[in-house]
Amino acid sequence: MREVVSRFHRDLPPARLWCYGGSSPGPTIETRSGQGLFIDWPNELPARHFLPIDHSLHGAEASVPEVRGIVHVHGAKAPPESDGYPEDWYLPGKSRTYYYPNRQEPAALWYHDHTMGINRLNIYAGMFGLFLVRDKVEDALNLPSGRFEIPLAICDRSLRQDGQLDYPVSGDPAHPWVPEAFGEVMVVNGKAFPFLDVEARKYRFRVLNAANGRFFRLSLSNGRSFHQIGTDQGLLPAPVELERTMLAPAERADLVVDFSGHVGEKIVLKNDSFDMMQFRVGPAQSPDTSVLPAMLRPVPKMLESSATKTRPLALIERMTLKGESMTMLLNNTPWHAPVTENPALDSTEIWSFINTTDDSHPIHLHLVRFQILDRRNFETFAYQTTGRIQYTGPVVPPAPEESGWKDTVRAHPKMITRIIVRFEGYVGRYVWHCHVLEHEDNEMMRPYDVIPAPAC
Ligand code: C2O
Ligand code: CU
């Protein structure tokens, strides 16, 4: 973890960034399924933070050191002591060696900071990178690879006139926290509005939404479709042809885009009507021998009947008297309250997110992968006053491009979103939280325990 300077654009002065290695995003780590990996994560950050800390947030009090770091590999099935628990932060000059067994299917994971109370600032400063897991089964599919497989870490940032990062603050100097941070500059792999020279052939893009709070709805300027072949935790059963795909913070999409037949064109990757980046299509240098297979990898559907427990979990927003957002809570419970979610190892549960707020919250569970069961509108006022659930709409199944293994799910406003999850791998303490980083840093995060399986 260190400070570097880097330009977001050739016409801007160099900006101060915090990152892993020498760049933001940090190096893309490539691993094989089942091949364990040790990583040292030395904290070599400077002594002072350069973004506005809110000392009124839990875990970021004035008595706590300003500059702290702890890394989490998002989507990794890692033992608890290597998972990057938010309170396990350490200071500049210190390091941690973490072990990643990688006993999981191929997927585009990502690593990022997870420090209690300043997570949103450290990630905004640039502390994230990709972590790809591969295996023989995926190799055999012959998807576009090598220089035709490209990670795209997308986010938005606010930049000052002098090219430096700007992080928004509220009007209240004692409580600078804001409920959402959006920037006007679209950044892909650390560059503002970049271009990429591509050949007229198929490419595989491993897209990550690394933004603090922005949801991206991606499409191509020529209106052409593309194929989504994977989601957070790996390949879909079969490619899904789409004209747009949605990514909430922390979600990933594995896309195959075919540029053949477009030589000489400039195709823009868009977020709704905003430009993200440009592809400049040149002739193919060699024949395209990669394939887009009809079938990718089976995703056995998890049956509701396999769940031994259903947990209703309310997502709640508290307002000030002036109607400003004060904090968002999971199950109306702050971070420091005793653990309430304690699934047994190797048990399957349904987690039912009852979203009473007006926002979509991307909910992430550490350690596990899950499937989305469904979403359904409900009467929020009746729920808030009586605790009773009254459905007001039909059961909505997940979209085809969400129907694979996930680790982050969009819990839509005024809907109940249900996931089914098996708690596999390790016993110990993990966390679950909203991945809008401003929410996560202000109490929308809870510890959970995987407890030993009961003896039979
Ligand atoms: Cu992307 Cu708790 O993590
Ligand atoms: Cu949220």
Side-chain angles (χ1 to χ4, degrees), residues 235-307:
L235 292 168
L236 288 161
V240 179
E241 189 174 355
L242 296 170
E243 275 163 25
R244 44 181 51 81
T245 192
M246 182 84 176
L247 283 181
E251 285 189 305
R252 286 87 74 205
D254 198 345
L255 305 180
V256 172
V257 179
D258 194 349
F259 296 106
S260 61
H262 295 280
V263 179
E265 286 178 38
K266 290 178 176 163
I267 298 171
V268 177
L269 176 68
K270 306 195 66 111
N271 168 37
D272 285 331
S273 50
F274 298 98
D275 292 357
M276 302 288 305
M277 70 174 288
Q278 187 188 58
F279 300 108
R280 300 181 179 171
V281 189
Q285 304 298 319
S286 52
D288 182 0
T289 54
S290 70
V291 290
L292 177 65
M295 301 311 268
L296 294 161
R297 188 169 197 135
V299 177
K301 200 167 159 54
M302 293 181 73
L303 297 177
E304 258 185 70
S305 57
S306 65

Side-chain angles (χ1 to χ4, degrees), residues 48 73 94 109 146 194 223 228 249 256 272 277 309 330 401 442:
R48 303 305 302 259
V73 179
K94 297 278 190 282
L109 314 180
Q228 182 157 345
V256 172
D272 285 331
M277 70 174 288
K309 192 175 185 97
L330 299 170
E401 68 274 20
N442 191 358

Side-chain angles (χ1 to χ4, degrees), residues 150-392:
I150 298 178
L152 298 177
I154 61 178
C155 61
D156 58 332
R157 291 291 184 265
S158 279
L159 299 181
R160 301 196 314 234
Q161 297 255 295
D162 62 358
Q164 302 302 312
L165 281 176
D166 193 35
Y167 185 86
V169 287
S170 73
D172 177 356
H175 308 279
W177 177 84
V178 290
E180 258 104 37
F182 297 122
E184 60 293 335
V185 181
M186 298 300 141
V187 178
V188 183
N189 293 350
K191 299 293 164 198
F193 311 112
F195 70 88
L196 177 69
D197 287 315
V198 293
E199 297 178 23
R201 50 160 293 144
K202 290 189 289 301
Y203 278 76
R204 180 182 186 190
F205 294 109
R206 315 296 297 267
V207 190
L208 156 70
N209 181 350
N212 280 38
R214 187 180 290 278
F215 288 53
F216 291 98
R217 198 157 60 156
L218 301 174
S219 62
L220 297 170
S221 59
N222 58 359
R224 294 296 295 262
S225 62
F226 50 85
H227 286 87
Q228 182 157 345
I229 60 167
T231 176
D232 307 337
Q233 282 282 325
L235 292 168
L236 288 161
V240 179
E241 189 174 355
L242 296 170
E243 275 163 25
R244 44 181 51 81
T245 192
M246 182 84 176
L247 283 181
E251 285 189 305
R252 286 87 74 205
D254 198 345
L255 305 180
V256 172
V257 179
D258 194 349
F259 296 106
S260 61
H262 295 280
V263 179
E265 286 178 38
K266 290 178 176 163
I267 298 171
V268 177
L269 176 68
K270 306 195 66 111
N271 168 37
D272 285 331
S273 50
F274 298 98
D275 292 357
M276 302 288 305
M277 70 174 288
Q278 187 188 58
F279 300 108
R280 300 181 179 171
V281 189
Q285 304 298 319
S286 52
D288 182 0
T289 54
S290 70
V291 290
L292 177 65
M295 301 311 268
L296 294 161
R297 188 169 197 135
V299 177
K301 200 167 159 54
M302 293 181 73
L303 297 177
E304 258 185 70
S305 57
S306 65
T308 49
K309 192 175 185 97
T310 294
R311 294 182 193 269
L313 301 157
L315 314 184
I316 288 167
E317 180 167 20
R318 285 209 194 138
M319 303 284 195
T320 63
L321 290 176
K322 284 189 279 178
E324 285 158 0
S325 180
M326 200 164 64
T327 184
M328 265 141 293
L329 291 169
L330 299 170
N331 233 11
N332 224 357
T333 316
W335 165 260
H336 63 267
V339 167
T340 39
E341 287 71 58
N342 54 357
L345 186 66
D346 293 325
S347 72
T348 299
E349 297 193 352
I350 292 170
W351 285 27
S352 179
F353 304 116
I354 306 166
N355 188 351
T356 65
T357 77
D358 294 326
D359 293 322
S360 186
H361 299 275
I363 302 292
H364 169 51
L365 279 68
H366 285 207
L367 176 70
V368 292
R369 59 180 189 174
F370 55 73
Q371 292 177 7
I372 303 173
L373 287 172
D374 47 41
R375 298 185 176 91
R376 196 167 183 188
N377 275 106
F378 72 109
E379 176 42 66
T380 48
F381 185 72
Y383 174 76
Q384 281 160 321
T385 46
T386 67
R388 264 202 308 275
I389 288 165
Q390 240 172 270
Y391 291 107
T392 55

Side-chain angles (χ1 to χ4, degrees), residues 422-442:
R422 191 170 161 82
F423 292 86
E424 282 177 336
Y426 305 92
V427 159
R429 176 142 310 174
Y430 292 92
V431 303
W432 67 286
H433 58 88
C434 175
H435 224 290
V436 170
L437 302 179
E438 285 64 35
H439 300 179
E440 175 184 353
D441 261 349
N442 191 358

